[in-house]
Amino acid sequence: MADFLKADIEKLMDGVLPWPAVQDMLKSPKDPNRFDKYVEIVQGRVDWKERILLPLTPALFIVAKDGERIVKCRCGHEFGDYRVNWKLASLIHVRDDEASIAEIYKGRELPDPGWVQIREYVCPGCGTQLEVEAVPRGCPPDFEFLPDLDTFYRDWLGRPLPDACEYADKTLDAIRDWSR
Amino acid sequence: MGDASALRLKDRLRANDEAFARTGHLFGLSKLARKESDPGTYEAVWHILSNLCNAAWSVGCKVSSSPIAAEGGDALWALHTPTGEAICISRGITAHPGLLADMIRNFIELGYEDYPGFHQGDIFENNDPHYGGIHAPDFDMGMPLFYRDELVAWASCVSHVSDCGSVTPGSIGFLNPDCYSDGLCIAMEKVGENDAFYPWYEMRIKSRTRTPDWVLGDARGRLAGCLTIREKLTQVIEKYGLDFFRDASQEYVEDSRRYAVGRVKTQTVPGRIRKSQFKDLAMKGKRVLLGKQDIDCLFNLPMELEIEADAKVRISLRGASGTVPFGQNISPTALKSGLLMGYSHIIGFDMFNSGPKAAWEVEPPPAGSWANPFEKDFSASSGVAWAPAVMWLSSLYEVFGRLFQMRGFVEEMAAGAATTMTAEFAGINQMGVYVAGLTLEQACNGSPARGFTDGENSAWCLYTPNADFGNAEIAELYYPILFLGRNIEPDSAGYGRFRGGLGHTAVWMVHNTPGIEYQCGCAGIRSKTIANHGMYGAYPSIPDRPSYAHDTNLRELIAEQKPLVHERGDPENPNIAQVVKARELVTSAIAPFVTPEPLQNYDLIVHPISGAQSMGDPIERDPKAVEDDLNKGWVRARVAEEIHGVVARPNGSSAWFVDEAATEKRRAEIREERKRRAVPFKQWWAQEKQQVAARENMDPAVLTMWRTSMELSPDYGAELRAFWDLPEDFEF
């Protein structure tokens, strides 16, 4: 069973691992402790101390904080309960007319603003462009991933998390609060 | 096993289903006895069987005379268990093994074992989507294989014929208004016996397809490949024994299922993952066949995966939009077969066979949607059914890419796929022969960005591992065109930390023909919109927009030895507009389309093939990678500076050099600009919901899509209304 070095995994993440070593990683049986190594690496790359439970994206993490599980950017900005789509707590810039879309796509590359709007989700803390959506008006933002964290830790990793919480999408609850 | 093989096939199917339901293992195989007792032979025979299928592919493609098979390899052969499960599969068009397996199962379910019976040398075919085919030009064949009077396996094949006799020439029938226009129909038929086609089968092809020599050549290629499998399988059985083959072939399928489940459990995370996706088909005002087609369409292609505690993957298309009066509706059987192919790329690629199908469940797509048309619209066309399916499948790459990232398997991550814009010609070629068929340009896209590097340029194709656009000279032999260019297309694969592999552009001059139709086809493209593949903050790749010039001055330009068009050039100032004078000059055509008039000599076509998708914030791209792209001409200076925030200058000669300090400063400014111009989501939501309610700046195609999506999937509609705080009775 392979046991790749943390240093090599870091190089892989940074896009500098030589191709033969990448091929070795692709072809070899996977290291069963990769998740733990990966979390150690990303934990070591942030300045804050909350424990990372799941790297949601390269920039966003679900962390344990004060008995809760929240989404947190690598810069430290916090987005709240991981069961609410974090996009609701982000900044958004929407391109839905020709002039704003043409800042990205010019001439023959220009999509039709009557058919698609480009939504850029930006971290209020560091200005990282976290996700981009290209969808027609009316499309709710994608809630890309709602993890079943307790099943993951209890059944798949064999070490249950304390303070199990309900596995449920809470996004519409937040919307209902806004609507009141 | 002796007892099982004595059962009738239909009874064996039932027994297999019951065993799987009872044990969770295919064929009830809780142990892989052959693998455990003799792993070396088990592995060796797998490779022999795999090579046997690939030998069939080589033989069959060579026997076939059509450019699609002979030059493009657009076919596939497989070996199946007696009950239809695919054991192993050749290279080629890998979207098909699932439906070939289902076709064989259907022959059994329909009672064909009693009538007309299964005999050595029988040839069965189907291409009818109502019975599980994908679309008419993909002819699916099955042959029962006997060893000493016992049906021990099936050989199968699919090949994509150049013309299936549909209402328009060729094989990308996006214009077909209904199934009656889809062309020659073979509905679960016995088409030959004693290793030969019936004469009436050949007569039908001769009278009902436009290129009968090629279509018959493909039929003979299919048969030759299946006979190759039969001959070589007999040798395998004689060497390793029938009992070994029977046991091992079932174990290979169960082994593959276990592999797929194992990968999900060890490399992903349980939970719910969602990805919206859309594709357009804008036909209003264009050349269509029936009045009802004078419309624009937008497809909703939603993907939702629920990964459960036992690593079962439940897949849903809730929210899929309604059928369209074009050839872009797909049967659930064919859709799932495409899914098996996507799964084989991403999850279950150790032994590619039917096994992974048992690792997931697909909720029946909404009845009356593009993904399940026939329950409500029996006459829906499937002329190029693959078109919406392939774009839906593109989400699978990103979805699993995200999951692999969460577990730290960065080397397995991928972004979304490219699109498939076809070019078909129909008319008299330079030899005075009528031709109708595809070029192979679209079979060579850029590959998706990966978690650690850029995608590869023009080296990948979602629907076939044989990414190969064929030789230009061969295309010039078949079709009356000359290549003026075939170039990597800059900026064609989105903008991100890692960019997708770039696409390429072919530039053709029509040459030596009395006139030829150019059909710029949709086998899965976007022209009005762009992909929803902004993974981790990347910008998606550009829309598919070809160009053409009709009735041109190219003849004069050649005579005067003036520059011609060899590439697309700047998006705002394309080469074709700078160089060519023409009665009809379209620089940014909304695809798909058939040109209003047949093209003539010295007309020009600029046909771009898309790149794939990027991932990551574009201002996190390594400035050196941007510099490298600048020096190769793969990124334009404007994109480098404005989108990647890289300040670079030519340093006297033609080489670009990055100013690292200025780049760092520019990127910091971009971050601040983003924060300044963006607004809190809640503020945008409050304004946006009013515009949604007012249907403001929403094309009629968008409104129709939402209306059908919400009607066909009421729970999807309820969630959409709740999100935008719309009344419960709101409809678009």
Side-chain angles (χ1 to χ4, degrees):
Chain A
M1 193 63 73
D3 187 12
F4 297 108
L5 298 173
K6 267 173 64 180
D8 282 345
I9 297 167
E10 290 212 60
K11 286 181 189 166
L12 180 73
M13 293 161 64
D14 295 336
V16 296
L17 188 67
W19 177 235
V22 177
Q23 281 192 313
D24 189 30
M25 275 191 188
L26 284 163
K27 292 174 183 172
S28 302
K30 299 298 186 194
D31 31 355
N33 58 350
R34 176 72 72 91
F35 178 71
D36 294 333
K37 285 187 278 191
Y38 189 58
V39 169
E40 277 177 40
I41 291 167
V42 292
Q43 190 87 56
R45 290 183 171 200
V46 296
D47 291 334
W48 33 264
K49 297 296 176 204
E50 289 85 6
R51 179 190 165 200
I52 292 174
L53 301 177
L54 190 74
L56 200 54
T57 76
L60 295 178
F61 306 93
I62 297 174
V63 304
K65 182 172 183 180
D66 302 332
E68 295 191 339
R69 301 167 186 174
I70 62 166
V71 175
K72 188 164 178 137
C73 182
R74 59 193 173 186
C75 73
H77 184 85
E78 295 177 355
F79 291 79
D81 188 339
Y82 78 103
R83 297 169 301 173
V84 177
N85 191 346
W86 60 266
K87 291 173 180 170
L88 271 61
S90 76
L91 295 175
I92 183 170
H93 176 59
V94 179
R95 300 175 190 272
D96 56 4
D97 56 40
E98 278 197 15
S100 58
I101 294 177
E103 290 173 3
I104 309 298
Y105 300 100
K106 294 209 182 288
R108 64 167 178 262
E109 300 172 347
L110 189 79
D112 189 327
W115 292 61
V116 66
Q117 54 181 212
I118 299 171
R119 304 172 182 166
E120 298 162 0
Y121 294 94
V122 173
C123 173
C126 60
T128 296
Q129 188 157 288
L130 297 166
E131 296 285 348
V132 169
E133 288 177 345
V135 294
R137 168 162 282 158
C139 186
D142 281 334
F143 189 178
E144 277 95 2
F145 192 55
L146 172 67
D148 184 352
L149 276 180
D150 289 299
T151 294
F152 178 52
Y153 271 86
R154 184 188 58 238
D155 297 347
W156 289 25
L157 299 180
R159 43 177 202 260
L161 290 171
D163 307 323
C165 73
E166 184 192 10
Y167 167 56
D169 183 348
K170 301 283 186 184
T171 305
L172 288 180
D173 295 346
I175 292 290
R176 275 188 281 274
D177 287 345
W178 288 359
S179 303
R180 285 195 191 110
Chain B
M1 288 310 303
D3 288 340
S5 61
L7 289 173
R8 297 172 55 69
L9 292 172
K10 198 184 268 190
D11 295 331
R12 288 168 69 176
L13 276 179
R14 296 286 90 76
N16 291 345
D17 291 348
E18 284 164 18
F20 180 57
R22 193 176 64 250
T23 65
H25 298 286
L26 289 167
F27 312 105
L29 290 173
S30 53
K31 274 186 69 175
L32 301 180
R34 294 287 185 179
K35 181 178 184 180
E36 288 166 19
S37 65
D38 188 356
T41 305
Y42 178 84
E43 193 71 21
V45 172
W46 163 261
H47 287 285
I48 292 168
L49 295 177
S50 193
N51 283 336
L52 174 161
C53 291
N54 284 326
W57 181 86
S58 298
V59 170
C61 288
K62 288 285 180 262
V63 167
S64 171
S65 56
S66 88
I68 296 177
E71 182 67 5
D74 207 354
L76 172 138
W77 280 260
L79 176 69
H80 302 254
T81 66
T83 43
E85 293 83 3
I87 303 164
C88 64
I89 293 156
S90 76
R91 62 173 71 94
I93 39 177
T94 48
H96 296 264
L99 65 86
L100 290 168
D102 281 341
M103 177 184 70
I104 294 166
R105 183 178 176 118
N106 284 346
F107 287 136
I108 298 167
E109 297 274 20
L110 289 167
Y112 283 23
E113 191 176 10
D114 295 325
Y115 181 77
F118 297 140
H119 312 96
Q120 186 82 309
D122 284 353
I123 311 167
F124 293 88
E125 286 200 340
N126 181 60
N127 73 344
D128 189 337
H130 293 88
Y131 307 108
I134 185 163
H135 64 156
D138 281 325
F139 282 44
D140 304 319
M141 175 186 283
M143 285 190 82
L145 307 183
F146 287 74
Y147 182 78
R148 293 181 185 160
D149 297 330
E150 180 185 335
L151 194 159
V152 294
W154 289 78
S156 77
C157 170
V158 57
S159 57
H160 182 121
V161 303
S162 61
D163 181 89
C164 61
S166 61
V167 65
T168 56
S171 59
I172 305 296
F174 68 90
L175 274 175
N176 301 357
D178 51 42
C179 69
Y180 312 111
S181 56
D182 279 349
L184 190 151
C185 179
I186 300 167
M188 302 293 285
E189 298 177 27
K190 183 175 175 182
V191 297
E193 59 188 37
N194 296 324
D195 300 343
F197 292 107
Y198 294 133
W200 46 90
Y201 173 80
E202 300 197 357
M203 288 158 69
R204 184 157 42 139
I205 287 174
K206 283 178 184 164
S207 63
R208 282 292 175 268
T209 66
R210 296 176 183 84
T211 56
D213 291 342
W214 285 351
V215 179
L216 281 170
D218 283 334
R220 288 165 192 146
R222 286 193 295 280
L223 180 57
C226 287
L227 295 179
T228 302
I229 290 178
R230 188 175 76 195
E231 182 185 308
K232 292 187 178 301
L233 180 66
T234 302
Q235 294 168 5
V236 171
I237 291 172
E238 286 180 349
K239 180 166 183 184
Y240 295 95
L242 183 57
D243 284 344
F244 181 89
F245 171 71
R246 277 198 202 111
D247 296 349
S249 58
Q250 292 190 341
E251 288 186 24
Y252 295 136
V253 184
E254 164 62 7
D255 204 354
S256 186
R257 183 200 68 81
R258 291 182 186 193
Y259 181 85
V261 172
R263 280 203 78 192
V264 169
K265 190 147 192 176
T266 57
Q267 295 175 35
T268 74
V269 178
R272 187 198 70 190
I273 189 153
R274 283 179 164 179
K275 190 72 201 164
S276 299
Q277 208 56 264
F278 305 88
K279 86 169 275 294
D280 53 84
L281 179 64
M283 297 305 299
K284 194 166 181 55
K286 295 182 186 172
R287 186 176 160 189
V288 292
L289 297 170
L290 297 181
K292 66 178 181 180
Q293 296 181 302
D294 186 24
I295 56 169
D296 290 337
C297 304
L298 187 64
F299 291 67
N300 191 355
L301 320 164
M303 179 178 283
E304 181 177 309
L305 269 67
E306 185 80 38
I307 300 178
E308 300 187 336
D310 61 358
K312 188 94 175 178
V313 180
R314 297 193 187 281
I315 301 169
S316 166
L317 289 96
R318 267 194 303 273
S321 52
T323 55
V324 293
F326 296 96
Q328 301 211 338
N329 307 286
I330 189 168
S331 73
T333 302
L335 182 84
K336 284 188 269 187
S337 188
L339 185 63
L340 179 64
M341 179 206 64
Y343 230 67
S344 77
H345 291 181
I346 303 165
I347 301 294
F349 49 70
D350 196 36
M351 289 177 171
F352 180 28
N353 59 31
S354 288
K357 268 182 82 177
W360 39 259
E361 279 184 19
V362 182
E363 183 182 281
S369 70
W370 60 267
N372 190 6
F374 301 130
E375 282 186 39
K376 290 194 175 176
D377 183 2
F378 197 73
S379 65
S381 169
S382 306
V384 55
W386 180 237
V390 71
M391 309 190 82
W392 177 74
L393 271 179
S394 176
S395 290
L396 200 69
Y397 294 82
E398 181 182 327
V399 159
F400 274 96
R402 288 173 181 272
L403 290 164
F404 293 141
Q405 186 279 140
M406 291 178 216
R407 289 294 290 265
F409 294 104
V410 175
E411 70 274 24
E412 301 291 342
M413 294 164 64
T419 61
T420 310
M421 187 167 76
T422 55
E424 279 190 308
F425 293 102
I428 304 296
N429 74 3
Q430 64 276 28
M431 264 94 70
V433 175
Y434 178 88
V435 290
L438 277 169
T439 69
L440 298 163
E441 296 301 316
Q442 80 285 345
C444 217
N445 293 114
S447 66
R450 307 177 77 169
F452 56 94
T453 192
D454 295 342
E456 292 183 64
N457 301 342
S458 297
W460 191 84
C461 184
L462 197 157
Y463 65 85
T464 171
N466 293 72
D468 186 351
F469 49 32
N471 291 297
E473 294 80 4
I474 299 293
E476 289 172 341
L477 274 181
Y478 286 105
Y479 306 116
I481 55 173
L482 292 178
F483 276 78
L484 299 190
R486 212 183 212 184
N487 307 287
I488 295 294
E489 184 62 40
D491 297 329
S492 59
Y495 312 120
R497 178 184 172 222
F498 296 118
R499 65 158 167 70
L502 298 166
H504 77 279
T505 296
V507 183
W508 296 310
M509 186 181 76
V510 177
H511 182 61
N512 212 357
T513 173
I516 196 146
E517 296 271 15
Y518 161 61
Q519 176 175 286
C520 177
C522 170
I525 65 166
R526 293 181 189 84
S527 200
K528 284 275 193 180
T529 64
I530 51 175
N532 185 33
H533 272 308
M535 186 177 184
Y536 303 148
Y539 289 109
S541 61
I542 56 179
D544 297 297
R545 297 273 176 84
S547 316
Y548 67 91
H550 175 48
D551 196 3
T552 74
N553 64 336
L554 247 66
R555 183 176 189 157
E556 291 76 26
L557 292 177
I558 292 168
E560 295 164 18
Q561 299 191 351
K562 288 191 171 167
L564 300 177
V565 178
H566 303 291
E567 54 193 23
R568 297 198 87 186
D570 189 88
E572 294 179 286
N573 190 16
N575 292 6
I576 192 171
Q578 294 176 50
V579 172
V580 178
K581 287 190 173 55
R583 180 160 59 85
E584 188 180 2
L585 179 63
V586 182
T587 60
S588 181
I590 300 295
F593 60 90
V594 183
T595 50
E597 296 174 16
L599 298 184
Q600 60 195 47
N601 292 333
Y602 301 103
D603 283 357
L604 197 71
I605 300 163
V606 180
H607 191 92
I609 298 301
S610 89
Q613 306 296 337
S614 295
M615 71 167 80
D617 187 340
I619 65 168
E620 293 183 18
R621 182 160 177 75
D622 181 352
K624 285 289 176 195
V626 177
E627 180 184 278
D628 190 44
D629 281 353
L630 279 166
N631 285 322
K632 288 175 175 159
W634 291 354
V635 66
R636 295 189 173 89
R638 193 271 310 176
V639 170
E641 176 140 8
E642 295 175 12
I643 297 179
H644 291 297
V646 168
V647 181
R649 297 180 188 85
N651 192 12
S653 66
S654 60
W656 289 81
F657 289 91
V658 169
D659 181 335
E660 288 183 11
T663 295
E664 203 171 317
K665 182 166 173 286
R666 177 73 193 115
R667 288 182 164 184
E669 288 167 359
I670 290 174
R671 288 178 194 278
E672 290 308 309
E673 278 168 25
R674 286 174 177 172
K675 286 196 279 182
R676 224 175 10 251
R677 74 184 172 206
V679 298
F681 185 91
K682 186 178 177 184
Q683 181 183 330
W684 173 74
W685 171 85
Q687 189 183 4
E688 181 71 5
K689 68 176 186 171
Q690 292 175 20
Q691 292 177 296
V692 172
R695 303 159 182 85
E696 203 172 296
N697 195 25
M698 295 171 81
D699 191 275
V702 175
L703 296 173
T704 302
M705 179 204 70
W706 286 132
R707 190 162 50 245
T708 59
S709 288
M710 294 165 75
E711 276 172 16
L712 298 176
S713 302
D715 51 347
Y716 180 91
E719 188 170 341
L720 189 149
R721 288 186 194 95
F723 188 86
W724 297 114
D725 194 22
L726 297 166
E728 285 181 14
D729 59 352
F730 179 87
E731 290 180 357
F732 282 106

